[in-house]
Amino acid sequence: MSTHVETHSTWQRQAHGMLVIIKKNALLYYLKPPVLIFGILFPVFFFLAFKMGRPIAATNVVPGMIAMALWFTASAVGPLVTPWERQARTYERLISTPLSLSSIILGDIGSGLIFGGCLSIVPIIIGLAFTDAAVTALGLLVLGIVLGALSFATLGVLLAAPPAASPSNIMLLSNLVRLPLLFVSGVFLPIAEMPGWAQWVAPISPLSYAGDLIRAGFGQAPYFPLWLSPVMLIVFTAALIAGAHKFHRRWRAKGL
Amino acid sequence: MSTDSPVVIDVRGLVKQFGSLTAVNGVEFDIRRNEIFGFLGPNGAGKTTTVRMLTGVLEPTDGTATIQGHDIRTEALLSRAHLASVPEEANVYLDLSLWQNVMLMGQLYGVPREERRRHGAELLDAMGLLDRKKQKARTLSKGLRQRLLLCTALVTRPEVLFLDEPTSGLDVQSARLIREIVRDLNQNGITIFLTTHNMDEAEQMCSRVAIISQGEIAAIDKPARLRSAMRSSQYVEVEFENGPPEAAALGGLPGVLRVQSDAGRTHLYSEQPGRVAGEVAVFARDRGLGIAHLSTCRPSLEDVFLHFTGELKEEAAR
Ligand SMILES: Nc1ncnc2c1ncn2[C@@H]1O[C@H](COP(=O)(O)OP(=O)(O)OP(=O)(O)O)[C@@H](O)[C@H]1O
Ligand SMILES: [Mg+2]
């Protein structure tokens, strides 16, 4: 008997398994068309649509655009992975490995976090290079990006749970969730200037808090108290992880 | 198969319900080390559902099982660490190369790098896939994908291998190769749980078979013993040169239980087919009939299968 067998209940083994999942997802899913379309083309399109015909000071727009791009990129990978594995008939084999459901879920979240976090560098560089925007509080910017990407990626993994007939159904679902939230989160218009009803809805979107931190990172006045945003992003992440566990477990064997 | 080899899989009262449908209903058996255990049953009998519970994919509604002593419910990770499975209609990762597929599965099981590489190369070589290891799995035919799936299962060095209809849809050669590999593996100490529809396959390969019908085990024994348990389905097959005589005359021969004629061939069912064959020869000589063909036949595993699965259906209908 090989020695690796009896160690599977240890957290080190599970953590290693999580890294293997991240690597697998990067190899298989980062370059899949749905990820590229909804993770990269979408934010570019929204940026152009917003920019056209609005002579707003670019400096004010940069943080919102970074937050918007992060919203799409970090949540693009999660909804693809599980539905794709189900359809490609690789999922049953994956869940019969000695990895816990948590390792698989955390690995999928890690994939979105890394994808979103890395790609957010692109709008940051563009913003810094072509506008007068400047980072005044790097810590807040990094905090906003990391916690934002984490909670958005977790949302993506939660959305992947339903047993859909094809991955495109889940893509539809994820856009039904992501697009409305995008418009109430203060990325195009600061929350303070949004209509009253939207100001009431804004706090239920993690994007509002991540956007606020990123805005503060660029020296703009935050809408929420500065301590609240990280706390809320952590609360969102925890709740979404719990939901992801619950629903991935419930629907694990459906649609195999 | 000695009965004192250690028990590797011990299944106790497994039940799975999907809503109001009971797909698996109190299944019990144990499998000892080095067995090839065949799991036979008609479509929808609950074979795949049983395998999925044992491999940790489905949660049992009731009952449990242990794999190498680890309970599948309370020690799920440890029980899964000892097994690998090739699920029904499963696939490899088509966008990864053959080599990446094998390495990925090794990594997921925590097989150390050196061992993974060496063993992975050996396995690909044994399956005739080593030359193509850099190709994407997408380029493989169905039979070759099935071989690759087997490689990805074996690189984890399982002690128990679950194969759910591993040869269905393969051509004769690929199926035979898979069977040979499985037999070799078994000789090297791996316990095998084989689900199949193919009676010949079960008969050739399995040390024991269980027949499952409508979620319940109908019979479980060595293939030869199951056959001999059905003595009343043994028969003598005879073909006369100038067509069969009237059935009543044959049915009156001593020891004959039942007569069935089909396309000139007559089947005389009996618990003593040897004696009946002698009687048929005497009968033919007395009447001056020429015999074109005379043989005694044991029931095939297929007869056994039909017997047990049919019997349960009749019970259910009652
Ligand atoms: N996820 C599920 N939800 C509801 N019913 C299911 C589910 N999986 C299986 N069943 C039902 O359970 C029964 C047993 O199915 P199972 O797949 O175990 O049969 P099987 O013996 O493997 O058949 P086959 O030879 O066709 O592969 C069937 O009636 C099937 O329709
Ligand atoms: Mg089946």
Side-chain angles (χ1 to χ4, degrees):
Chain A
M1 190 199 290
S2 12
T3 47
H4 66 266
V5 167
E6 292 281 344
T7 61
H8 285 273
S9 52
T10 62
W11 70 267
Q12 289 96 332
R13 276 283 314 119
Q14 294 297 320
H16 172 260
M18 188 190 88
L19 295 178
V20 178
I21 297 278
I22 291 177
K23 182 179 151 192
K24 172 205 71 150
N25 289 346
L27 281 173
L28 281 166
Y29 301 113
Y30 278 4
L31 293 179
K32 283 269 183 285
V35 170
L36 297 180
I37 291 169
F38 297 115
I40 294 174
L41 274 186
F42 249 46
V44 170
F45 162 79
F46 272 108
F47 172 75
L48 293 177
F50 180 71
K51 191 79 185 59
M52 255 166 223
R54 273 170 176 247
I56 302 178
T59 322
N60 295 335
V61 180
V62 170
M65 291 303 116
I66 293 169
M68 188 263 296
L70 186 67
W71 174 243
F72 281 111
T73 51
S75 61
V77 181
L80 187 71
V81 178
T82 304
W84 192 286
E85 299 240 357
R86 282 203 169 106
Q87 180 171 274
R89 309 206 64 96
T90 55
Y91 190 61
E92 183 170 354
R93 183 72 188 92
L94 183 69
I95 60 180
S96 69
T97 62
L99 284 189
S100 64
L101 185 63
S102 300
S103 305
I104 297 177
I105 285 177
L106 293 178
D108 290 348
I109 292 172
S111 302
L113 171 69
I114 292 169
F115 189 70
C118 291
L119 280 179
S120 71
I121 291 170
V122 176
I124 292 177
I125 288 176
I126 293 175
L128 292 178
F130 295 101
T131 73
D132 296 334
V135 178
T136 57
L138 184 64
L140 291 176
L141 175 65
V142 171
L143 196 65
I145 285 179
V146 171
L147 290 180
L150 182 67
S151 58
F152 305 164
T154 312
L155 174 68
V157 173
L158 170 62
L159 290 169
S166 101
S168 59
N169 294 357
I170 294 292
M171 285 295 156
L172 189 67
L173 171 72
S174 75
N175 284 326
L176 280 177
V177 172
R178 292 189 300 176
L179 289 179
L181 288 179
L182 175 68
F183 291 107
V184 297
S185 299
V187 298
F188 299 119
L189 201 61
I191 297 175
E193 294 168 29
M194 292 195 313
W197 65 268
Q199 288 190 18
W200 279 101
V201 186
I204 63 159
S205 166
L207 177 55
S208 302
Y209 303 98
D212 217 39
L213 280 175
I214 293 170
R215 205 170 295 116
F218 279 89
Q220 297 174 19
Y223 175 78
F224 299 107
L226 264 185
W227 61 268
L228 183 66
S229 294
V231 170
M232 285 308 291
L233 287 172
I234 289 168
V235 168
F236 267 111
T237 303
L240 291 166
I241 286 181
H245 271 84
K246 179 172 173 182
F247 290 106
H248 275 266
R249 194 176 299 282
R250 172 178 300 176
W251 286 318
R252 187 153 69 141
K254 289 270 165 63
L256 279 177
Chain B
M1 191 50 43
S2 70
T3 45
D4 44 52
S5 350
V7 172
V8 173
I9 305 178
D10 187 6
V11 181
R12 291 291 155 242
L14 268 190
V15 176
K16 182 68 196 183
Q17 288 174 330
F18 297 109
S20 62
L21 172 82
T22 306
V24 172
N25 192 3
V27 162
E28 306 219 350
F29 52 83
D30 49 34
I31 303 180
R32 289 171 187 278
R33 188 160 82 205
N34 243 11
E35 278 199 89
I36 300 186
F37 185 84
F39 207 48
L40 303 179
N43 292 129
K47 303 182 294 295
T48 299
T49 306
T50 305
V51 170
R52 283 183 173 160
M53 287 190 278
L54 294 176
T55 54
V57 174
L58 277 179
E59 188 98 355
T61 310
D62 197 10
T64 191
T66 59
I67 292 181
Q68 292 286 44
H70 298 290
D71 191 295
I72 56 168
R73 304 183 83 159
T74 56
E75 298 176 292
L77 298 180
L78 283 176
S79 75
R80 297 211 294 266
H82 294 274
L83 64 87
S85 83
V86 176
E88 188 177 22
E89 289 171 28
N91 213 338
V92 290
Y93 288 103
L94 296 179
D95 295 315
L96 295 183
S97 71
L98 278 62
W99 183 249
Q100 285 173 316
N101 265 290
V102 176
M103 291 302 109
L104 172 65
M105 206 43 81
Q107 284 179 296
L108 287 173
Y109 278 71
V111 180
R113 182 187 167 91
E114 277 315 307
E115 185 186 338
R116 190 166 81 215
R117 295 173 147 250
R118 185 177 40 76
H119 193 204
E122 279 168 20
L123 287 166
L124 284 172
D125 196 24
M127 309 259 184
L129 295 171
L130 195 58
D131 301 343
R132 309 176 143 207
K133 69 173 189 176
K134 296 219 169 98
Q135 286 180 21
K136 291 254 189 288
R138 188 175 290 288
T139 62
L140 297 182
S141 69
K142 183 175 162 123
L144 296 186
R145 281 181 204 174
Q146 196 71 3
R147 287 190 218 171
L148 180 57
L149 261 179
L150 207 49
C151 286
T152 63
L154 293 172
V155 75
T156 68
R157 294 227 184 256
E159 291 144 47
V160 191
L161 181 61
F162 286 86
L163 300 170
D164 197 349
E165 300 188 27
T167 57
S168 89
L170 301 191
D171 69 15
V172 183
Q173 272 154 358
S174 297
R176 179 182 291 176
L177 183 83
I178 299 253
R179 276 183 215 128
E180 273 167 17
I181 293 165
V182 169
R183 237 183 260 121
D184 282 355
L185 288 169
N186 181 246
Q187 257 139 40
N188 291 320
I190 299 185
T191 307
I192 289 165
F193 186 109
L194 173 73
T195 296
T196 180
H197 281 138
N198 185 326
M199 297 298 147
D200 293 335
E201 183 169 290
E203 182 128 34
Q204 285 168 32
M205 300 186 56
C206 298
S207 49
R208 282 194 307 149
V209 299
I211 294 175
I212 180 172
S213 176
Q214 298 179 348
E216 297 182 14
I217 302 274
I220 181 163
D221 213 327
K222 294 182 173 136
R225 290 255 289 274
L226 283 177
R227 278 198 267 99
S228 66
M230 293 186 43
R231 308 195 43 182
S232 59
S233 14
Q234 301 175 87
Y235 58 87
V236 173
E237 183 175 87
V238 57
E239 188 175 347
F240 296 93
E241 274 167 358
N242 299 314
E246 70 283 18
L250 288 170
L253 292 175
V256 174
L257 300 172
R258 190 157 57 90
V259 182
Q260 204 174 56
S261 288
D262 181 26
R265 293 201 164 187
T266 306
H267 290 177
L268 306 170
Y269 287 85
S270 169
E271 293 194 3
Q272 299 153 293
R275 179 173 161 214
V276 169
E279 297 288 347
V280 170
V282 172
F283 171 89
R285 197 189 53 206
D286 289 353
R287 298 211 175 181
L289 299 170
I291 291 179
H293 168 92
L294 177 66
S295 62
T296 61
C297 302
R298 297 178 310 163
S300 63
L301 197 54
E302 188 165 323
D303 294 322
V304 177
F305 179 81
L306 290 173
H307 171 76
F308 281 110
T309 55
E311 194 170 71
L312 273 195
K313 274 195 199 107
E314 279 160 26
E315 264 173 34
R318 245 180 264 146

